[in-house]
Amino acid sequence: MLELLLSFLILAGAIFTFIGALGLARLPDFYTRLHAPTKATTLGVGSLLIASAINFSTQGPGISLHEILVTLFLFITAPVSAHLLAKAALHLKVPRVGQSARPGDSSQ
């Protein structure tokens, strides 16, 4: 039963990470590309870390807390970095899809 749970978490983590990487490569502009690695990849890495914590907690003498600390760090830093990247892009007037590069020209 434990192997099935770990397999599910690892597979879900791999799928979410793949979706995040695919979105980063395929989405058309900076703002939409920002969502893929911050949302899907965070969930994927979190799922992998939970699987690792369960595995090492059942294998070792005690509860493995390293993965929980890494997960908390990831869940705190990913949204903050995404927010700062989006704010910098807005400040630099990075164009969206269908918007020209010039700040005064809005040809959507």
Side-chain angles (χ1 to χ4, degrees):
M1 185 66 184
L2 181 65
E3 289 85 14
L4 285 176
L5 175 66
L6 292 176
S7 299
F8 173 76
L9 286 172
I10 290 171
L11 191 60
I15 289 170
F16 276 120
T17 304
F18 175 71
I19 289 171
L22 188 65
L24 184 64
R26 297 282 301 171
L27 290 174
D29 67 352
F30 176 79
Y31 298 104
T32 55
R33 279 187 208 141
L34 195 57
H35 282 282
T38 56
K39 304 291 186 276
T41 306
T42 301
L43 285 175
V45 172
S47 179
L48 291 172
L49 288 171
I50 290 171
S52 176
I54 291 172
N55 183 38
F56 287 114
S57 293
T58 57
Q59 302 284 327
I63 297 173
S64 177
L65 295 177
H66 299 100
E67 292 86 359
I68 294 172
L69 292 175
V70 172
T71 303
L72 285 175
F73 179 75
L74 181 70
F75 282 6
I76 291 171
T77 58
V80 171
S81 64
H83 176 74
L84 290 176
L85 284 171
K87 199 168 183 173
L90 283 173
H91 181 71
L92 294 173
K93 297 182 172 68
V94 174
R96 294 180 293 180
V97 172
Q99 189 179 28
S100 77
R102 291 182 293 179
D105 187 20
S106 60
S107 60
Q108 276 190 342

